[in-house]
Amino acid sequence: GDTNVSTAMAVREQHGHDESMHPCAPPDAVVWPQAVGQVQELAALCYRSRVPMVPFGTGTGLEGGVNAVRGGICFDLSRMDAIAELSLEDFSVVVEPGVTRKTLNSYLRGTGLWFPVGTVGAGALGSSQGHCGAGGGRT
């Protein structure tokens, strides 16, 4: 629906750059999937139509990875922000791509675990790192 898709220039420009020095390269549209199935359907549609896909977490990257240099569809994953599973025994957590480090650390508060800053910064964890241990150490 309209709340999950935008072609407004201001929204496209917001999603067409990160914190890097690269100039803005906006996508043709921005979508906000909220479930894995929606991502799969959108990805299949883009693949069949030969339309580039650009994932977007929080826009805090430093490499220009969100710049849609060939246009395409930006997948803003910020609404996929569930923390699905926490295992204190093996220091692991399963998160959706929109979960931020700050949100994860709030969730972990009281467990003795935290997710250190490292190279992730304040951005979304799932969009910048595939598999991360949540241990970081014990407090």
Side-chain angles (χ1 to χ4, degrees), residues 102-126:
K102 184 176 179 181
T103 299
L104 178 58
N105 281 331
S106 292
Y107 183 84
L108 294 173
R109 188 172 289 125
T111 67
L113 303 176
W114 81 95
F115 192 89
V117 175
T119 59
V120 178
L125 299 176

Side-chain angles (χ1 to χ4, degrees), residues 2-131:
D2 290 343
T3 60
N4 296 320
V5 179
S6 180
T7 56
M9 182 53 86
V11 173
R12 292 172 43 221
E13 286 178 347
Q14 175 190 357
H15 288 81
H17 67 89
D18 55 16
E19 298 295 323
S20 70
M21 63 180 176
H22 303 289
C24 181
D28 298 312
V30 178
V31 296
W32 287 267
Q34 297 174 11
V36 172
Q38 291 174 334
V39 173
Q40 291 170 331
E41 288 178 33
L42 290 165
L45 179 62
C46 287
Y47 177 78
R48 284 193 308 271
S49 303
R50 303 186 55 84
V51 173
M53 299 175 286
V54 182
F56 187 92
T58 58
T60 58
L62 300 173
E63 303 84 17
V66 300
N67 293 43
V69 294
R70 294 186 179 156
I73 306 298
C74 174
F75 287 50
D76 185 323
L77 304 170
S78 63
R79 296 182 186 170
M80 295 181 66
D81 59 355
I83 298 173
E85 181 182 328
L86 170 63
S87 174
L88 297 175
E89 295 77 31
D90 64 6
F91 306 108
S92 67
V93 62
V94 177
V95 301
E96 289 184 338
V99 173
T100 64
R101 179 186 55 82
K102 184 176 179 181
T103 299
L104 178 58
N105 281 331
S106 292
Y107 183 84
L108 294 173
R109 188 172 289 125
T111 67
L113 303 176
W114 81 95
F115 192 89
V117 175
T119 59
V120 178
L125 299 176
S127 64
S128 60
Q129 298 198 4
H131 297 94

